[in-house]
Amino acid sequence: MEPLFSPALHRQRHQFVIDFVKRNKPRKVVDLGCAECTLLGKLRWFQREIDLLVGVDIDGTKVKKKMHALAPMATDYLQPSYEQLCVELYQGSVTQKDARLRGFDLVTSIELIEHLTLDDVECFSEVVFGYMNPVDVIISTPNSEFNPFLPGLSGFRHSDHKFEWTRAEFKTWAQTVCLKFGYEVEFTGVGAAPPGQQESVGFCSQIGVFHRLEGNMLRCDNAEDVFAYTLLYSINYPSLRDNNLLRRVLVCEVLCWTENLKSRWAMKTTCDEALCGIEGGKEECLSERCMEVEEEQTVCGAEMREPMGPCEKDLSKDQENDYSKLQRCESVPLEVLWSHCPKVSALCGSLDNLRRILTDDPDVNLSQDGNAVLLQYDEQDLGEKEEQDDLQDSGYAEARQHCLTAEQEEDWGANV
């Protein structure tokens, strides 16, 4: 049947729901008859629109088969957003009431009601429109008038179907529901008929989109708070609304950028020492690259000029005498991180919040006044620094400069 349509008919039905979610942005969505959670798997990507995504099916085995595919991906943990998505899956019948499904923004029932008896359809109407009372409801069901266009079909489209309505029958049921429970409905569908036949037979799958009328609000009745469904799966996606997660992400960003600054500053210092020489007490640059490095010191795209400085510590005389054994450190002002790193400022909201969060974190070392992050040099950094100082003191730089000059003279002489 489905090769007659492109995209496939079930994809068109799901796309109809997705387009509705994009336009209307419901916060709480439940899919009745979710089966293997295919539609839910597509809707979970709309975290900016949906806070709570729920699936219900009477066949728990089908739900369990694919439910773990709805778990957060690694990228959701590495790059959490402010949106807070919760996914819940239940086993239960759509003819039974459950208080956890009341007050939703959108209920979807895709190709479900035809699997119910007519008596159960009446119970379904009472549960969905009368008890759950959502803002919007999307119901799709086969259009029996389209069946003659489906090759090789005799009888219903599925062996479990209890009925298949014409457009008139579906319209009669939908309008009855609207009058009884305070809704209005518009009719549409997916799976277009052959050219010239659309008006006479309609869509292959007919769809009713129900909107709750203004003033028809959810009725609170404690006697109706029943919990008939069995919870099979529940997962909360990582969100920056979780203070612990927000703290971890912010600290990681701060440590990352401060180390980045440390590396940039060290690279600039090394480059300055390598490219610049001293003659007659005056500093002479051997290359224009020295000036370029100064101009290129940036953090998050904003220009910086040596944002780091030596950390200030009160040292005793004994410590001063033994300073070579102490680890050196550099400081990065919090104002630098706040003003030049958009993600840091967006995460903490204010400079005071940034200082408060970092003060309480054991992984961050702040200055005594709490205005700067202190970065210590590890043994490798200190070893490299001492090696550079030894080479400088030994006259290696001056000898190397003289050697390069001699080599250059030889090359120039060969080229003349």
Side-chain angles (χ1 to χ4, degrees):
M1 178 179 65
E2 291 196 345
L4 294 174
F5 303 99
S6 181
L9 193 57
H10 72 278
R11 295 184 183 275
Q12 292 188 44
R13 289 191 288 259
H14 290 173
Q15 189 60 49
F16 182 90
V17 175
I18 291 171
D19 292 340
F20 183 92
V21 169
K22 288 181 179 179
R23 293 193 306 270
N24 297 276
K25 297 178 173 50
R27 306 306 303 181
K28 300 169 65 177
V29 179
V30 55
D31 181 31
L32 302 180
C34 63
E36 296 182 354
C37 310
T38 305
L39 178 57
L40 297 176
K42 297 176 181 178
L43 292 177
R44 69 168 176 158
W45 299 112
F46 294 91
Q47 296 182 32
R48 295 183 181 277
E49 287 79 21
I50 300 175
D51 292 331
L52 178 59
L53 188 60
V54 176
V56 178
D57 201 281
I58 197 170
D59 189 343
T61 303
K62 281 187 177 180
V63 176
K64 292 177 181 178
K65 186 177 180 180
K66 297 288 186 179
M67 64 184 187
H68 293 291
L70 298 176
M73 301 180 67
T75 52
D76 294 315
Y77 291 97
L78 294 173
Q79 297 179 338
S81 65
Y82 280 100
E83 287 68 35
Q84 190 169 18
L85 174 63
C86 175
V87 178
E88 296 177 352
L89 300 177
Y90 294 92
Q91 179 180 0
S93 171
V94 294
T95 62
Q96 294 179 305
K97 299 175 181 178
D98 192 294
R100 289 168 290 189
L101 268 62
R102 303 190 76 188
F104 273 61
D105 298 306
L106 174 63
V107 171
T108 62
S109 173
I110 307 302
E111 307 294 285
L112 170 66
I113 61 173
E114 63 273 9
H115 294 271
L116 306 175
T117 65
L118 292 177
D119 289 339
D120 284 341
V121 171
E122 293 303 314
C123 294
F124 169 86
S125 303
E126 178 66 39
V127 169
V128 173
F129 295 96
Y131 181 75
M132 294 173 61
N133 197 228
V135 176
D136 296 300
V137 182
I138 299 176
I139 295 178
S140 78
T141 189
N143 171 21
S144 63
E145 297 174 72
F146 200 98
N147 288 356
F149 293 97
L150 304 177
L153 179 65
S154 59
F156 293 153
R157 300 181 190 180
H158 192 279
S159 59
D160 188 57
H161 286 186
K162 307 302 188 292
F163 63 86
E164 290 180 1
W165 280 334
T166 63
R167 288 177 292 169
E169 290 171 329
F170 181 50
K171 184 176 181 180
T172 299
W173 171 80
Q175 290 177 338
T176 302
V177 165
C178 290
L179 289 174
K180 185 176 180 179
F181 299 106
Y183 281 78
E184 61 182 1
V185 63
E186 54 182 305
F187 300 98
T188 181
V190 294
Q197 302 292 326
Q198 188 64 43
E199 276 194 40
S200 60
V201 299
F203 293 99
C204 185
S205 283
Q206 51 188 337
I207 296 176
V209 182
F210 298 79
H211 308 284
R212 191 177 66 194
L213 294 176
E214 190 173 348
N216 176 23
M217 302 302 293
L218 181 67
R219 299 184 297 275
C220 296
D221 187 353
N222 294 331
E224 294 289 336
D225 284 349
V226 293
F227 303 93
Y229 298 162
T230 301
L231 180 64
L232 300 178
Y233 183 74
S234 178
I235 187 71
N236 290 308
Y237 274 54
S239 170
L240 293 175
R241 297 182 189 180
D242 180 344
N243 289 333
N244 291 329
L245 180 60
L246 174 62
R247 180 187 299 273
R248 290 199 298 270
V249 172
L250 177 59
V251 169
C252 286
E253 281 295 317
V254 169
L255 294 177
C256 175
W257 278 107
T258 50
E259 285 294 338
N260 182 279
L261 278 171
K262 172 185 171 183
S263 300
R264 287 170 179 258
W265 183 81
M267 184 181 298
K268 176 182 182 298
T269 303
T270 303
C271 188
D272 287 346
E273 293 175 353
L275 297 181
C276 297
I278 304 295
E279 288 187 2
K282 294 183 179 180
E283 186 173 354
E284 178 180 352
C285 287
L286 301 178
S287 170
E288 294 183 0
R289 179 59 183 157
C290 192
M291 302 231 5
E292 292 175 3
V293 170
E294 286 189 14
E295 297 297 329
E296 292 175 358
Q297 299 304 307
T298 60
V299 179
C300 301
E303 291 189 359
M304 296 284 299
R305 284 185 176 270
E306 297 194 13
M308 306 176 63
C311 67
E312 298 177 359
K313 290 188 176 181
D314 296 331
L315 300 178
S316 64
K317 291 184 178 180
D318 293 338
Q319 288 175 323
E320 289 178 353
N321 295 334
D322 198 26
Y323 183 75
S324 61
K325 297 182 180 179
L326 295 175
Q327 284 187 318
R328 292 181 55 198
C329 62
E330 300 294 341
S331 64
V332 180
L334 295 187
E335 291 184 0
V336 171
L337 292 170
W338 166 257
S339 60
H340 294 90
C341 299
K343 189 169 183 179
V344 170
S345 59
L347 287 171
C348 59
S350 69
L351 186 58
D352 289 338
N353 284 340
L354 176 62
R355 183 181 295 106
R356 176 179 56 80
I357 293 174
L358 297 183
T359 299
D360 297 335
D361 196 279
D363 294 329
V364 179
N365 186 20
L366 290 182
S367 59
Q368 291 184 359
D369 58 7
N371 290 325
V373 177
L374 303 182
L375 293 175
Q376 292 183 336
Y377 283 102
D378 55 27
E379 294 181 0
Q380 181 179 357
D381 292 334
L382 290 174
E384 292 176 355
K385 179 63 177 175
E386 290 173 358
E387 181 179 352
Q388 292 173 2
D389 292 342
D390 291 342
L391 289 175
Q392 186 71 24
D393 294 340
S394 67
Y396 171 79
E398 181 179 354
R400 183 173 183 273
Q401 178 185 353
H402 176 75
C403 180
L404 288 175
T405 303
E407 291 177 356
Q408 289 173 345
E409 289 177 353
E410 291 180 2
D411 290 340
W412 293 335
N415 293 329
V416 174

